[in-house]
Amino acid sequence: MVRLVIFAFLVLALGYGFSWLADRPGDLSLIWEGQLYQTRLIVAASALIALIAVVMILWRLLRMIWMSPYSITRYFRARKRDRGYQALSTGLIAAGAGNALMARKMAARSRGLIRADQEPLIALLEAQAALIEGRHDEARAKFEAMTNDPETRELGLRGLYLEAKRLGANEAARQYAEKAADNAPYLPWAAQATLEYRSQAGRWDDALRLLEQQKAGRVVEKAQAERLRAVLLTARATEKLENDPAGARDDATHALKLAADFEPAAIIAAKALFREDKLRKAASILEQAWKSAPHPDIGRTYVRARSGDSAADRLKRAERLEGMRPNNVESLLLVAQAALDTQDFAKARAKAEAAARVEPRESAFLLLADIEEAETGDQGRIRHWLAQALKAPRDPAWVADGFVSDKWLPLSPVTGRLDAFVWKAPFDHVEKAADESTTISIDSALRTLPPVREARSESPANDHRIIELERAATIAEAARPSPKPPAPTKRAAEAAISPEPRPFFGGLPDDPGVRNPAAEPEPKTRLRLF
């Protein structure tokens, strides 16, 4: 477009010039070697312009002839390079598709058409072909050669890192990742792997420093960086809790500012404040966290804030939390447990049944079984509630990569992933399958609850465990073939003649002991199994 405008401008300029000369006629005289040459001005200008054009054309032709060998060489070189890049592109596509034979063939062709020192993708194609064919030693050699070139250093380090992970060489993988992160902290894979490795080693300060570099380089988003920083600060506060409560308090409080709904940070901050005898501030932190999201660990920490409190004091604190979040299953279970500790069975039973109505789950029915055992001791009713607990959905727990933990951990023990634990119910499919049945489970459980039977402590027949043991012993004894009685020895005959000695306290023991099959015949037992 620019050339077209320039050409049009030149044509207009020439036309304007010729028209200007035509409007102003004149003669041009030239005396050269005694001869007079005279012509019109317009003719002389036209001849001059034609002469300039001829000179330019002759110069262009002479330059083209002079540069023709180089132009021909450049043409064939460009054609060869284009063929090489076409082969390289075909090889990379074949490597991505898993065609090792085509990738190897195209790698050899591209190496013959393009200089390998000018195109590092050839080494990458050869390494990929070696990986597809299972020649991992050759691939590692290619990746190591890439690390010597500043242009391909990051690519080589990533290849070596993946190979080390494949072989299970975690220490070598950590070194490759840290080297890549030091040279290029903007690499997401290197930064994430290094962050996890430093966290696994407990190097929380180095992990926090690396996270700041990632945030400055915009490797991670601001919200994600703040969440990870809160996790790292909470993990460091957990380690400081025993020896440095003040440091644990500062780290946990900072973590709460970054993630206000992070329950582990609130619990660690409260425990650190409890160690510093700052009960009111710790209680305020736990109350705010409880209002945000009731969590059983928060409730237990709040109720047992002071070790010297009585059961009645713990019940009052639990009822205070219930007032903040009424009709919540965690609040109801917390009050029920505190009421059970105070032997207030009516309140404990009412709160546990209310919790089971709000959300029927395992802990509610187990708590009802504990209440039944403490109040009545009726084994039938206890077994009834235990059976309901087996059928109920599981309680929420800290879950990460299929691993269920009773406490929060900063890293997954399965994959080492940072901030992997989530508070949820394990085995979601069981909860989904039980949704319809659990809506009426507490009502049906109360309707089928057996009546309270009078327990007689002097009779062992009331203990279901003894009944089960006696039944199993009877079955085993009936199934065992009766052995032939051994011949009586001389000592046994003398013992049979001599009178049985009586104990000094005047009577037989309450436990008759094990029956002697040789002394009395075993009665015939007929057992109906069905």
Side-chain angles (χ1 to χ4, degrees), residues 112-131:
L113 296 174
I114 308 175
R115 291 177 58 183
D117 57 345
Q118 294 181 352
E119 185 49 64
L121 286 178
I122 298 176
L124 174 62
L125 178 57
E126 292 175 347
Q128 292 294 328
L131 287 176

Side-chain angles (χ1 to χ4, degrees), residues 35-104:
Q35 295 291 332
L36 177 62
Y37 300 95
Q38 188 174 4
T39 182
R40 296 179 62 84
L41 182 61
I42 188 69
V43 175
S46 301
L48 180 62
I49 292 175
L51 180 62
I52 293 174
V54 169
V55 171
M56 291 178 64
I57 292 173
L58 290 177
W59 173 255
R60 181 68 179 240
L61 290 174
L62 289 175
R63 186 173 181 275
M64 186 181 299
I65 294 172
W66 179 263
M67 299 294 293
S68 59
Y70 176 76
S71 299
I72 294 173
T73 303
R74 186 175 59 181
Y75 169 76
F76 284 108
R77 187 185 299 132
R79 184 180 177 185
K80 182 180 179 181
R81 184 178 66 250
D82 293 341
R83 289 169 55 200
Y85 277 110
Q86 182 64 36
L88 182 60
S89 176
T90 304
L92 290 174
I93 294 173
N99 190 348
L101 181 62
M102 179 62 69
R104 174 66 62 183

Side-chain angles (χ1 to χ4, degrees), residues 294-296 325 327-333 350-368 388-389 391-397 423-426 428 431-432 434-435 437-443:
H295 195 278
R325 289 298 296 265
N327 298 326
N328 182 270
V329 61
E330 301 296 345
S331 301
L332 294 171
L333 290 175
K351 295 297 182 179
E353 291 177 358
R357 287 189 178 91
V358 172
E359 185 178 347
R361 65 189 194 191
E362 185 181 8
S363 59
F365 294 107
L366 290 177
L367 184 55
L368 284 169
Q388 297 297 323
K391 295 184 293 183
R394 295 186 62 180
D395 290 88
W423 180 257
K424 66 176 183 178
D428 290 339
E431 184 177 357
K432 292 178 182 178
D435 281 342
S437 61
T438 54
T439 55
I440 57 172
S441 60
I442 181 62
D443 297 329

